[in-house]
DNA sequence: ATGAAAAGCGAATCATCGCTCATATTCTGT
DNA sequence: ACAGAATATGAGCGATGATTCGCTTTTCAT
């Protein structure tokens, strides 16, 4: 199957060597992004760091943008894996416990490679393909709304959608800022205090 | 005062023609950023849109970065002008009123050129000089903490700094997301509902 | 073992863009 | 009216960096 001018999307890796190459590229991109910053992350430099040639890079990623997108996607997958692992347990909990655990897991999620998270949030311009990347995942939003629906009678909320928006946005912002911009102030005591405060904030809101 | 090889920082504009040029450049940059996006905003294109030559651009802005910084600074000034105007009145209000007015003014602030606000928040990489640009102004944070201190006896907060962090971060995130990502859902009724919810959230938190 | 497909290579191409500089025009004080 | 300072011009330099392509090496199925 010869590919003549397949300029748009490159083909999948099928042999295991090539899968290793793809992994190395994504890994190297993440490393360069963190250590050198977005504007130093040229495709040639990335290929070199990955120990492969630029040509190989373009075998699997049609554009630099798509490579960066792959890094972001992988990072989001890792975060969602962390979250999903705890989520089933959380959803069975009563409101007070659930919210507190949710805040805790949100902090945990932001501590999965926080350096990369910061680069993604602050240095990578959302242009072109990256434009549609949601800052916080829609999945969280939907799941949270489902939980609210289940506990509706215990709660003082009329508009579930609005309440979900408020809660998810708030938890995301608080944990994001705490972990990524105040990590020194937030070592141990303070972080527990933050969990307390954030939980009180949300629970107070939900239970009136 | 001849300038021989003043490569680093360019001189100030003193005559009114040059001040007009500077204004046109900043204005054109903002326009291009909004209409074409960050990656299309080359210095040549900006100069053309401003109706001046690239050379003139570099008379006043040593780097492209500094020009973008000027745009951001101007935008932040405009926002802070809006906020400061209402702020003195707000600080005299009792807590319930004050918070509600604060949320309202935060929305208003985000409605000052929201398109530009979005480009600044999402498309411009915080690299180099732009790195130190705070997402939300430190000024808000300080002022809010002062207000909390004044009303400390009415409130159920021990750590003023933490409480300020929580409130300012939350209000900023809610209004930012509402205005910039849900503007259609947020036309008239919904927006009033959001003010209600956000106010209830914060007031409940502060007053226990 | 062998031929074809898959994977890898990297020098070279090509376009973009930030920025400079030699020159031209306009302003301002006298 | 004139000189010098301030301002404006824009072709082009130089660097960077994304992407390509002709070729080699490795893998796999038979």
């Amino acid at each position: 199957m010869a590919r003549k001018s397949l300029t748009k999307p490159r083909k999948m890796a099928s042999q295991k060597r090539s899968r290793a190459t793809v992994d190395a590229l994504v890994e190297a991109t993440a490393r360069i992004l963190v250590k050198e910053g977005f504007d130093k992350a040229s495709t040639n430099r990335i290929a070199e760091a990955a120990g492969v040639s630029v040509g190989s890079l373009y075998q699997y990623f049609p554009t630099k943008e798509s490579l960066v997108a792959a890094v972001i996607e992988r990072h989001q997958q890792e975060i969602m894996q962390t979250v999903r692992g705890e989520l089933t347990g959380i959803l069975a909990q009563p409101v007070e416990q659930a919210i507190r655990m949710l805040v805790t897991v949100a902090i945990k999620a932001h501590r999965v490679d926080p350096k990369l998270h910061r680069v993604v949030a602050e240095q990578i311009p959302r242009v072109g393909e990256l434009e549609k990347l949601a800052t916080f995942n829609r999945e969280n939003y939907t799941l949270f709304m489902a939980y609210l629906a289940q506990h509706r009678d215990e709660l003082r909320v009329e508009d579930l959608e609005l309440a979900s928006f408020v809660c998810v946005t708030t938890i995301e912002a608080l944990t994001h800022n705490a972990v990524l911009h105040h990590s020194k102030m937030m070592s141990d005591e303070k972080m527990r205090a933050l969990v307390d405060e954030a939980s009180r904030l949300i629970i107070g809101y939900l239970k009136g």
Side-chain angles (χ1 to χ4, degrees), chain A:
Chain A
M1 192 180 291
R3 70 180 91 89
K4 300 172 72 169
S5 64
L6 185 47
T7 322
K8 283 64 83 60
R10 292 298 144 85
K11 274 298 156 197
M12 273 320 276
S14 51
Q15 303 181 358
K16 78 177 162 192
R17 179 170 57 136
S18 60
R19 248 170 284 130
T21 298
V22 170
D23 279 358
L25 282 166
V26 175
E27 175 61 29
T29 305
R31 218 167 50 232
I32 299 262
L33 283 174
V34 167
K35 294 209 302 192
E36 318 259 358
F38 177 76
D39 55 350
K40 297 283 170 50
S42 69
T43 50
N44 282 286
R45 196 191 259 269
I46 289 170
E48 183 191 350
V52 304
S53 74
V54 240
S56 294
L57 189 159
Y58 281 94
Q59 293 262 329
Y60 305 105
F61 300 96
T63 63
K64 178 187 174 181
E65 200 176 12
S66 70
L67 177 55
V68 172
V71 170
I72 296 177
E73 206 167 318
R74 193 187 68 163
H75 180 238
Q76 285 184 342
Q77 289 300 341
E78 280 170 1
I79 283 182
M80 285 317 287
Q81 209 140 335
T82 299
V83 172
R84 260 194 292 264
E86 318 227 0
L87 217 56
T88 53
I90 292 176
L91 294 179
Q93 247 28 59
V95 179
E96 277 85 355
Q97 311 293 330
I99 297 300
R100 174 167 265 273
M101 292 168 80
L102 218 56
V103 173
T104 306
V105 83
I107 289 174
K108 202 176 189 179
H110 281 279
R111 282 181 162 161
V112 176
D113 208 340
K115 302 258 190 66
L116 179 60
H117 199 90
R118 193 167 173 173
V119 171
V120 169
E122 298 179 355
Q123 285 188 32
I124 297 178
R126 276 109 228 265
V127 178
E129 305 259 294
L130 290 327
E131 199 168 4
K132 53 178 72 76
L133 279 180
T135 302
F136 60 90
N137 214 319
R138 195 147 210 83
E139 185 177 348
N140 295 328
Y141 183 83
T142 311
L143 285 173
F144 191 81
M145 197 156 82
Y147 178 82
L148 288 189
Q150 271 188 321
H151 296 252
R152 189 163 203 168
D153 46 346
E154 307 173 49
L155 306 174
R156 281 266 230 82
V157 290
E158 350 69 63
D159 189 337
L160 285 187
E161 197 167 320
L162 183 55
S164 293
F165 168 77
V166 169
C167 293
V168 175
T169 298
T170 299
I171 293 174
E172 157 67 23
L174 286 175
T175 56
H176 181 95
N177 274 326
V179 173
L180 301 183
H181 294 286
H182 301 263
S183 50
K184 43 183 61 172
M185 133 187 165
M186 285 289 169
S187 278
D188 37 321
E189 289 296 317
K190 291 272 188 178
M191 199 54 101
R192 237 165 300 156
L194 179 78
V195 175
D196 288 344
E197 297 291 276
S199 302
R200 195 161 66 73
L201 175 75
I202 299 292
I203 294 166
Y205 167 72
L206 287 175
K207 305 205 79 165

